[in-house]
C-alpha cells in the first residue's frame, strides 16, 4: 500500500509538522464479531486549525485504523448521517471543530438505539416512530389543477420544523427515550408539527390523536436536551409545547 | 444488556461470534389507548401546582410564622381553627391536591425509570395503595374531628 504524504502522521520521534496539533480522540468501539462489550480506544490524531471532528475521524480511518466504522455522507451538515455523542453531547461530527473540543475528545455512538458496530446504530426504531406520525401531506377534497398555494404567514407558522434532517441527535439526547423506546421522541413530534400547522394539510386531528397516546407528547419532561442537540437550531421543545397546546385547545 | 455470545469451538480460529444487533427491541406498544387521561394528568399537575403554592404557603405562614409560630400549635389551636368550615375546606383541599399531585409525579417517575413491566406494575400498586390510605385517613380525620375529645 502506498502512503500518501498529504497528511503526515507522527513520526517515530513523535513530532509533527508545525501547523498541526495532536489531539487524543477516544472512540467507543464495538465489533460484534469479537467484542462482548464496547470498549474505549485512543488515537493520537494530528489536526489542522480548521479541522472538523469528521476530518479527525477520517484521519483515523484512512491512515491509522481502517476498521473504524461510522456513517457520513455529505459531510456538510445537510444529510444528517454522522450524528454522534461528542464529549457527552449529541452533535454532527461534520459541524463541530476540533479546536472547540479540547485536547481529549470522547466520541460515542448516539445513545438509546442498538449499536451495530462502532459508531453505527440501528436507526429503525427511530424511523418507525417517524413513519407512525404520517409525515406526508394529507389533503381532503378535490385535487387542485395547480400548486397548493399558501400565504407567507401560513408558511412561516411551521417554518422552523421544516428544517429537520432526521439525524436523530434530538431523539437520542432525550432521557425519556433512553429508558423507553416506545416514546415517539422529539424528531417524530417535530415532523408531525411540520404538517399539523400546515394550512394545506387536513390530517392534523389524526396526527394529534396519535401524539395524544400515553407514549406521545405528554411524556416530554421539558429537559431541553433536544433543543440543545439539534444541529439545525430547531426549537424542538417549543414545537413539542405547541403540539401540547393544540391538543388541549382542540375542539371535540 | 449483554448480547448473546456464541463461541465457535473446535477450530484453530476459536473466537466469540455475536449475533447483531446488540439489543433488538420488540415493536413499541403504541397507539392502543384512545383516552385523554395523560392530557388531563398533565393539566392537573400544572393547575394543582398553582393552587398548592397558595394553599401550602398559606398553611406554612399560619402554622409557623404568625403570632408566636409553631409554639402555640396544640390540640386547642387545631380545634379552634377547625371550628370554621373554611379552614376545614382549606386543609381538605391541601390534602387531596398535594397527595394526588405527589402520586401523579411518582407515577410519572416510575413510568420513566422502571424498565420492566413487572417492576412498573408493582411499584404503581404500592404507590396507589399508600395514596388510598393517606387520603382515607386524612379525610376521615378532617370530617370526624371531635373538639370535645379529652
Amino acid at each position: 500500500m502506498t502512503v500518501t504524504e498529504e497528511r503526515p502522521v507522527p513520526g517515530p520521534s513523535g513530532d509533527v509538522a508545525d501547523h498541526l496539533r495532536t489531539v487524543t480522540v477516544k472512540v467507543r468501539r464495538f465489533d460484534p464479531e469479537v467484542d462482548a462489550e464496547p470498549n474505549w480506544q485512543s488515537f493520537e490524531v494530528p489536526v489542522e486549525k480548521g479541522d472538523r471532528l469528521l476530518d479527525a475521524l477520517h484521519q483515523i480511518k484512512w491512515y491509522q485504523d481502517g476498521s473504524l466504522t461510522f456513517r457520513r455522507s455529505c459531510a456538510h451538515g445537510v444529510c444528517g448521517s454522522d450524528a454522534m455523542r461528542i464529549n457527552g453531547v449529541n452533535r454532527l461530527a461534520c459541524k463541530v471543530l476540533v479546536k472547540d473540543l479540547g485536547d481529549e475528545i470522547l466520541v460515542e455512538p448516539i445513545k438509546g438505539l442498538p449499536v451495530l458496530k462502532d459508531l453505527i446504530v440501528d436507526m429503525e426504531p427511530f424511523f418507525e416512530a417517524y413513519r407512525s406520525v404520517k409525515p406526508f401531506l394529507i389533503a381532503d377534497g378535490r385535487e387542485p389543477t395547480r400548486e397548493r398555494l399558501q400565504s407567507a404567514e401560513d408558511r412561516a407558522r411551521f417554518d422552523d420544523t421544516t428544517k429537520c434532517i432526521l439525524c436523530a441527535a434530538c431523539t437520542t439526547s432525550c432521557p425519556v427515550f433512553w429508558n423507553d423506546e416506545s416514546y415517539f421522541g422529539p424528531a417524530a413530534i417535530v415532523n408531525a408539527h411540520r404538517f399539523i400547522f400546515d394550512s394545506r394539510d387536513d390530517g392534523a386531528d389524526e396526527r394529534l390523536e396519535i401524539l395524544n397516546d400515553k407514549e406521545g407528547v405528554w411524556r416530554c419532561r421539558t429537559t431541553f436536551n433536544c433543543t440543545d442537540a439539534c444541529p439545525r437550531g430547531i426549537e424542538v421543545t417549543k414545537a413539542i409545547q405547541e403540539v401540547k397546546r393544540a391538543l388541549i385547545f382542540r375542539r371535540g | 444488556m449483554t448480547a448473546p455470545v456464541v463461541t465457535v469451538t473446535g477450530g484453530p480460529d476459536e473466537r466469540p461470534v455475536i449475533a447483531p444487533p446488540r439489543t433488538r427491541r420488540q415493536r413499541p406498544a403504541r397507539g392502543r389507548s384512545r383516552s385523554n387521561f395523560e392530557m388531563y394528568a398533565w393539566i392537573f399537575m400544572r393547575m394543582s401546582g398553582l393552587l398548592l403554592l397558595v394553599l401550602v404557603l398559606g398553611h406554612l405562614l399560619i402554622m409557623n410564622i404568625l403570632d408566636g409560630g409553631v409554639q402555640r400549635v396544640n390540640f386547642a389551636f387545631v380545634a379552634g381553627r377547625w371550628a370554621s368550615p373554611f379552614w376545614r375546606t382549606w386543609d381538605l383541599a391541601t390534602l387531596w391536591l398535594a397527595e394526588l399531585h405527589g402520586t401523579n409525579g411518582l407515577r410519572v417517575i416510575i413510568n420513566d425509570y422502571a424498565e420492566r413491566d413487572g417492576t412498573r406494575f408493582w411499584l404503581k400498586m404500592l404507590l396507589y395503595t399508600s395514596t388510598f390510605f393517606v387520603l382515607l385517613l386524612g379525610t376521615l380525620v378532617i370530617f370526624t374531628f371531635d373538639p370535645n375529645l379529652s
Side-chain angles (χ1 to χ4, degrees):
Chain A
M1 203 181 98
T2 44
V3 176
T4 39
E5 291 300 318
E6 268 176 46
R7 305 271 305 211
V9 293
S13 57
D15 55 353
V16 289
D18 282 350
H19 66 292
L20 297 177
R21 185 169 71 96
T22 304
V23 293
T24 308
V25 180
K26 289 181 80 178
V27 186
R28 191 145 170 93
R29 303 200 58 182
F30 172 70
D31 180 350
E33 292 179 352
V34 179
D35 303 327
E37 281 302 313
N39 51 72
W40 291 99
Q41 189 178 349
S42 292
F43 297 94
E44 299 294 317
V45 189
V47 288
E48 285 184 44
K49 267 185 189 151
D51 271 357
R52 305 155 302 166
L53 181 65
L54 185 64
D55 298 315
L57 291 175
H58 279 153
Q59 168 73 15
I60 297 171
K61 185 170 178 67
W62 295 343
Y63 300 99
Q64 298 186 30
D65 183 349
S67 71
L68 180 71
T69 313
F70 54 92
R71 286 192 182 109
R72 92 272 185 274
S73 190
C74 77
H76 290 83
V78 178
C79 72
S81 306
D82 62 350
M84 45 190 79
R85 204 166 146 87
I86 300 159
N87 282 350
V89 290
N90 285 358
R91 295 285 182 267
L92 296 184
C94 57
K95 283 193 87 171
V96 284
L97 296 180
V98 172
K99 72 178 174 60
D100 298 328
L101 294 171
D103 289 330
E104 191 181 88
I105 304 164
L106 304 180
V107 182
E108 297 163 77
I110 45 178
K111 198 172 162 179
L113 292 167
V115 177
L116 297 177
K117 187 180 182 185
D118 291 347
L119 300 173
I120 292 187
V121 296
D122 180 6
M123 297 281 279
E124 187 46 33
F126 172 80
F127 287 122
E128 199 274 336
Y130 169 65
R131 283 193 298 267
S132 63
V133 301
K134 302 180 192 279
F136 42 80
L137 186 81
I138 300 173
D140 298 339
R142 202 176 300 156
E143 285 277 303
T145 51
R146 51 191 201 111
E147 279 181 86
R148 296 173 193 272
L149 295 175
Q150 73 183 150
S151 70
E153 292 74 40
D154 283 346
R155 177 61 179 74
R157 177 67 191 86
F158 61 93
D159 183 67
D160 202 33
T161 46
T162 61
K163 298 176 198 159
C164 179
I165 54 174
L166 296 171
C167 66
C170 59
T171 293
T172 56
S173 73
C174 175
V176 177
F177 182 80
W178 290 340
N179 213 35
D180 183 2
E181 66 272 21
S182 305
Y183 175 47
F184 281 91
I189 300 170
V190 158
N191 285 281
H193 178 285
R194 184 250 171 272
F195 287 98
I196 289 169
F197 295 96
D198 188 336
S199 62
R200 299 163 295 188
D201 187 88
D202 299 308
D205 283 340
E206 205 177 323
R207 294 195 187 87
L208 285 172
E209 193 51 54
I210 292 167
L211 292 177
N212 195 25
D213 188 79
K214 74 176 171 55
E215 303 295 349
V217 287
W218 308 114
R219 293 215 68 177
C220 169
R221 303 281 168 262
T222 338
T223 62
F224 282 90
N225 276 18
C226 48
T227 302
D228 178 59
C230 181
R232 307 303 309 274
I234 300 172
E235 292 177 287
V236 184
T237 315
K238 188 181 167 199
I240 299 174
Q241 293 300 103
E242 286 176 359
V243 174
K244 286 180 190 168
R245 192 177 306 153
L247 265 167
I248 292 171
F249 294 109
R250 77 185 161 150
R251 283 167 296 172
Chain B
M1 235 178 87
T2 321
V5 179
V6 184
T7 311
V8 181
T9 47
D13 52 348
E14 183 172 318
R15 63 194 177 89
V17 177
I18 294 160
R22 311 201 63 219
T23 48
R24 193 49 156 162
R25 299 136 184 257
Q26 67 269 41
R27 283 181 73 81
R30 280 197 292 252
R32 288 209 200 114
S33 65
R34 279 184 74 85
S35 81
N36 289 326
F37 176 75
E38 290 294 336
M39 181 176 84
Y40 291 130
W42 189 88
I43 296 170
F44 171 77
M45 286 308 264
R46 272 85 199 150
M47 294 301 150
S48 61
L50 282 175
L51 277 170
L52 280 168
L53 268 180
V54 178
L55 291 171
V56 172
L57 287 180
H59 178 83
L60 288 174
L61 189 73
I62 293 161
M63 296 312 239
N64 297 323
I65 294 165
L66 295 185
D67 7 273
V70 76
Q71 273 77 27
R72 80 204 141 103
V73 175
N74 54 25
F75 188 85
F77 177 80
V78 175
R81 272 185 85 223
W82 277 4
S84 145
F86 175 78
W87 291 115
R88 284 206 190 201
T89 315
W90 182 296
D91 284 0
L92 190 72
T94 312
L95 169 74
W96 275 79
L97 287 176
E99 186 64 21
L100 291 179
H101 187 95
T103 302
N104 192 43
L106 280 172
R107 179 186 73 90
V108 159
I109 289 170
I110 293 169
N111 277 342
D112 280 359
Y113 286 93
E115 288 185 11
R116 286 183 300 138
D117 285 347
T119 322
R120 216 174 262 194
F121 175 80
W122 287 113
L123 283 175
K124 280 193 206 168
M125 282 303 117
L126 192 70
L127 174 68
Y128 297 151
T129 315
S130 75
T131 306
F132 175 75
F133 281 110
V134 169
L135 283 178
L136 187 77
L137 198 66
T139 313
L140 197 71
V141 168
I142 292 174
F143 278 115
T144 63
F145 178 74
D146 179 7
N148 301 316
L149 206 71
S150 58

